[in-house]
Amino acid sequence: MEEEQDKAEKPNDNDVGGITGMAQRLFHSASSSFIYSSQSDEKNNDASPGTEQSLTDVKHDNATKEEREVTKETKDVEEKEEQQDKAETSLDNVAPASTTDHEADTNITEEQGIHQQQSLETSIDDIPPPSRKGRKKKIHCITWIIFVVVILILFGIGLGVGFSIAGRGQPEGDKPQQSQPPIEMNCQQGGEAIQKHPFVWTKCLCEEGALDVSSIPENIQREYAAIKEELLQTITSSLDDFTITSCESSTNLALHWLAEDRISNENTDSLSHRFALAIFFIIWRTNSPMNYLKNNEHNWKGWMTSTSFCGWDGITCNGDDTSKVTSIELNRYGLSNSIPTELAMLSPHLTSLSLHQNSLTGIIPTELGSLEQLQRLDLSGNFLRGSIPSTMGQVRTLQYFNIAHNRLTGSLSASLGFLTDLKVMALQSNQLIGALPRQLGLCTALEELYLYENEISGSIPEGYGRLVNLQKLVLFHNDLDGSLPSATMRSWKSLVSLSVAGNKLTGEIPSTIGSCTALQDVYLDRNQFSGLLPPELSSLKSLSIFELQNNYFSGLLPTELGSCIALSVLDVSNNPFLRGSIPMELGQLPKLKELLVHHTSLDAIPNEICSNDALQMLIGNCGLSCNSSCCTRCKDQS
């Protein structure tokens, strides 16, 4: 029986009932301690203040009485143990007997305590004892606080045990899955972990500069051979210039990537496009294939991953057909190295290729001529060298052709005349030489032709009269000579801007310029033009800027210029042979902001011009006779 009682008294931490019993005993023990302490305080505070015994005697009496109380308590404990033994045989008599004894002991203890406290004397007569009712309330509050704390502890323990039991009973599949961190692409890791990441395996094996055939898994070797054989049906270049162990070949590395990341049931178009894009990435990303393997920037989002290449940065596909690339736009991507010849593999689906503002070098590959559906080509702002390939004339669908701001040399190919759909040709800021090919006159859809800042020589062909849709002809800073084509200008009714400044053009301005009724900007400055200004200029109602400075024009300024009601800038300075009076009709032009007539032989500026409030810049020949206000402005700005 005693052993069973000992086992029952030992709490089981894993059992809710055991924890509850332990907490209850803790509560009763704490309550008894607080009650006993409070009763002792009450008895001490109730002591009679009239006692005259010394403090030393009081301490001695208290010690003696405490010993008697301990002895009494010991006897009470012994009596309780005897009663517990009797309770094993007669359970019915345990509770009453125990209760009676406990009450009797309590009464005896209280009477002894009161008797002891009444015998004490204190010298603090002026401090009244605290209220008994307040002490009881305090004891009551402390008891309730302990009770609430114990209940909260029991609730927390029970809740935790319940979750623990529920967790042990939950199936593995129902537990929430934690996201696994991505496997680091660490070449020291080796094994299957590396092979799960496309192209990482090749990266690791190529770190030493060469692949070991024995280290290439057999399944990858089989895929490699199969892909190579399939690509031979579409690729224009040879695939036999390298071996499977070559790490310096971008083509080989692209084949490895395809072998490691083979997509089931992939058609030939998709395979060839992925192959070409992989080569572009390896070549364009860095100066060498090996540098690519060590770097990968954020702006190449999606590239060289298993996701569809239609989602890669700068890549556009043909609507719902995710196997055909129609557009590549990688402007300002920091691309370096040459333009891959594998671009031809994207034919006939590629319609737009834009790579401007990069660092591409090398030549423009002749293979671009096989992009038979290409409509837009922008390679401007790079470091391309060499000549414009004649094969570009084969891209009959080309509408926008921009290779400006490079280092291209050579002459313009006559084959460009076959680009009958071409609307914009921008070849400026290169080092192109030779004459303007007359075949360009066949590009009847041409609207804008930019050839400025080159070394183009010869004259403007008369055959350009066929360019009836031409709106902008910008040829400044070249070595052009000859005169403006009179018959040709009769056909340029849509011409808005004509700029041939900074050349060696001679002769007069043809009267047929009056047919160019859409002209807004005319730059004929810094040439060797001469002769009279034609009166047909009066037909140019939209003319806004007319710059004729630094030439050899002679005679009078035609009064017909007063009919150019949109004119805002007129510069005839540095034409020493211009003479006579300045037409007062110029003072009636409502939009005239700048009038520059200095370094000419023209007479004084008339008052009608000086009174034009729209003028912001008026520079004339100071020293000539004119009224005071106009002369002042003339002198101040000369």
Side-chain angles (χ1 to χ4, degrees):
M1 178 69 68
E2 293 179 357
E3 293 179 358
E4 293 176 358
Q5 186 176 355
D6 293 340
K7 291 180 180 178
E9 290 176 355
K10 294 180 181 179
N12 186 355
D13 293 339
N14 296 326
D15 184 69
V16 178
I19 293 172
T20 306
M22 180 177 64
Q24 290 175 348
R25 288 192 293 275
L26 176 63
F27 168 69
H28 287 301
S29 176
S31 301
S32 300
S33 299
F34 272 94
I35 293 171
Y36 178 79
S37 176
S38 302
Q39 290 175 351
S40 299
D41 292 339
E42 290 179 3
K43 295 168 186 175
N44 291 335
N45 291 329
D46 292 340
S48 174
T51 306
E52 296 179 355
Q53 189 177 3
S54 63
L55 183 61
T56 306
D57 293 338
V58 172
K59 291 181 179 180
H60 181 268
D61 292 342
N62 287 340
T64 304
K65 291 176 182 179
E66 287 176 0
E67 290 178 358
R68 288 199 299 270
E69 288 178 1
V70 171
T71 303
K72 179 63 177 177
E73 289 176 358
T74 304
K75 291 180 180 181
D76 292 341
V77 172
E78 291 177 354
E79 290 177 1
K80 290 179 181 180
E81 290 179 354
E82 291 178 0
Q83 292 174 359
Q84 288 178 358
D85 293 338
K86 293 178 182 181
E88 294 178 3
T89 58
S90 179
L91 296 175
D92 296 335
N93 299 327
V94 172
S98 177
T99 304
T100 304
D101 292 341
H102 181 71
E103 291 176 353
D105 293 340
T106 303
N107 294 332
I108 294 172
T109 304
E110 290 179 355
E111 292 175 359
Q112 290 175 352
I114 294 170
H115 178 70
Q116 292 172 2
Q117 294 299 329
Q118 289 176 350
S119 63
L120 294 176
E121 292 182 1
T122 178
S123 59
I124 311 175
D125 297 334
D126 56 340
I127 301 176
S131 173
R132 181 182 297 275
K133 185 180 292 185
R135 288 193 297 272
K136 287 184 177 181
K137 288 183 178 180
K138 179 179 180 181
I139 294 169
H140 204 61
C141 290
I142 294 174
T143 303
W144 273 106
I145 290 173
I146 296 173
F147 178 75
V148 172
V149 171
V150 172
I151 291 299
L152 292 175
I153 293 174
L154 290 174
F155 179 76
I157 294 174
L159 190 64
V161 172
F163 276 120
S164 176
I165 294 173
R168 288 196 296 268
Q170 185 179 10
E172 290 293 329
D174 296 337
K175 293 183 179 180
Q177 298 293 329
Q178 296 182 352
S179 59
Q180 298 294 329
I183 300 176
E184 293 185 0
M185 299 182 183
N186 183 3
C187 292
Q188 303 299 326
Q189 197 172 4
E192 296 181 358
I194 293 179
Q195 296 184 28
K196 290 180 181 179
H197 297 273
F199 213 59
V200 179
W201 172 78
T202 305
K203 164 191 177 298
C204 295
L205 294 180
C206 276
E207 279 190 342
E208 300 300 325
L211 286 168
D212 183 3
V213 176
S214 61
S215 64
I216 303 176
E218 292 184 1
N219 64 316
I220 293 182
Q221 293 190 45
R222 289 194 299 270
E223 291 290 350
Y224 182 98
I227 291 171
K228 186 176 179 181
E229 183 66 26
E230 186 173 351
L231 289 175
L232 284 173
Q233 302 174 13
T234 58
I235 196 170
T236 57
S237 59
S238 173
L239 295 179
D240 297 325
D241 299 336
F242 56 86
T243 64
I244 193 173
T245 58
S246 173
C247 283
E248 293 301 323
S249 167
S250 57
T251 306
N252 185 50
L253 292 178
L255 284 172
H256 272 289
W257 175 66
L258 291 175
E260 296 170 40
D261 192 40
R262 185 65 188 268
I263 299 176
S264 59
N265 300 323
E266 185 176 23
N267 60 47
T268 303
D269 285 336
S270 176
L271 180 64
S272 60
H273 285 210
R274 282 207 304 148
F275 174 67
L277 292 176
I279 291 178
F280 302 163
F281 181 76
I282 296 170
I283 291 179
W284 286 341
R285 174 61 186 81
T286 54
N287 291 327
S288 72
M290 288 310 302
N291 284 339
Y292 148 70
L293 297 172
K294 300 176 183 178
N295 298 282
N296 191 1
E297 288 187 354
H298 64 279
N299 62 346
W300 290 89
K301 182 179 178 181
W303 281 72
M304 304 302 289
T305 65
S306 298
T307 59
S308 170
F309 51 72
C310 296
W312 296 2
D313 267 359
I315 303 300
T316 304
C317 294
N318 183 19
D320 296 332
D321 191 347
T322 59
S323 64
K324 299 176 178 64
V325 176
T326 58
S327 175
I328 298 177
E329 292 191 11
L330 299 175
N331 306 317
R332 298 182 179 88
Y333 257 61
L335 308 183
S336 59
N337 220 324
S338 60
I339 300 175
T341 59
E342 284 76 11
L343 275 168
M345 299 182 69
L346 303 180
S347 181
H349 311 291
L350 190 67
T351 60
S352 177
L353 177 61
S354 184
L355 307 174
H356 75 79
Q357 297 297 320
N358 283 292
S359 300
L360 296 173
T361 58
I363 64 172
I364 299 176
T366 58
E367 286 78 5
L368 290 184
S370 61
L371 297 173
E372 55 191 49
Q373 295 298 323
L374 192 65
Q375 299 176 12
R376 179 183 178 87
L377 176 62
D378 190 349
L379 305 178
S380 62
N382 285 284
F383 302 102
L384 299 173
R385 298 179 179 273
S387 60
I388 302 173
S390 59
T391 54
M392 291 305 305
Q394 301 174 11
V395 189
R396 307 295 176 87
T397 57
L398 197 61
Q399 299 178 14
Y400 182 88
F401 183 31
N402 187 352
I403 54 175
H405 300 283
N406 278 285
R407 300 175 181 176
L408 298 172
T409 57
S411 58
L412 300 178
S413 173
S415 63
L416 295 176
F418 294 113
L419 303 178
T420 54
D421 291 340
L422 191 65
K423 294 182 178 180
V424 178
M425 180 183 288
L427 311 179
Q428 69 270 20
S429 299
N430 280 289
Q431 300 170 20
L432 300 174
I433 61 173
L436 291 171
R438 57 182 179 81
Q439 288 83 357
L440 283 181
L442 301 175
C443 302
T444 54
L446 193 63
E447 298 175 355
E448 301 177 20
L449 177 58
Y450 302 94
L451 273 166
Y452 62 87
E453 294 178 345
N454 278 288
E455 299 175 17
I456 303 296
S457 58
S459 60
I460 301 175
E462 288 285 350
Y464 284 11
R466 298 188 182 93
L467 304 178
V468 294
N469 295 306
L470 192 62
Q471 299 176 16
K472 295 184 179 181
L473 179 61
V474 186
L475 305 174
F476 67 85
H477 290 177
N478 276 288
D479 291 327
L480 294 173
D481 54 26
S483 60
L484 292 176
S486 177
T488 296
M489 295 187 71
R490 186 179 288 109
S491 303
W492 289 349
K493 299 183 183 298
S494 299
L495 193 64
V496 173
S497 180
L498 173 62
S499 178
V500 291
N503 282 282
K504 300 176 182 178
L505 296 173
T506 58
E508 299 181 351
I509 297 176
S511 60
T512 53
I513 195 174
S515 301
C516 305
T517 54
L519 270 176
Q520 298 178 10
D521 308 324
V522 177
Y523 300 90
L524 305 180
D525 52 289
R526 289 166 292 162
N527 277 284
Q528 300 175 17
F529 289 112
S530 60
L532 302 176
L533 297 180
E536 286 78 9
L537 292 172
S538 60
S539 301
L540 306 182
K541 305 298 183 182
S542 299
L543 185 63
S544 176
I545 300 176
F546 196 25
E547 296 196 0
L548 307 174
Q549 68 269 24
N550 296 91
N551 277 289
Y552 300 101
F553 291 110
S554 59
L556 304 175
L557 286 179
T559 58
E560 286 80 4
L561 284 174
S563 300
C564 302
I565 57 176
L567 193 62
S568 62
V569 176
L570 176 60
D571 189 350
V572 295
S573 61
N574 291 295
N575 279 278
F577 303 112
L578 282 177
R579 56 182 177 79
S581 61
I582 299 175
M584 64 180 64
E585 287 80 2
L586 296 180
Q588 301 174 4
L589 296 174
K591 298 182 179 180
L592 188 62
K593 295 180 180 180
E594 299 180 16
L595 177 60
L596 295 88
V597 295
H598 57 287
H599 297 143
T600 65
S601 300
L602 293 170
D603 294 338
I605 300 174
N607 293 333
E608 288 80 3
I609 295 178
C610 293
S611 60
N612 190 332
D613 294 333
L615 275 172
Q616 298 176 3
M617 180 180 292
L618 177 60
I619 303 179
N621 293 312
C622 293
L624 299 178
S625 59
C626 59
N627 61 40
S628 57
S629 61
C630 197
C631 261
T632 301
R633 297 174 69 181
C634 172
K635 291 177 181 178
D636 291 342
Q637 300 185 43
S638 61

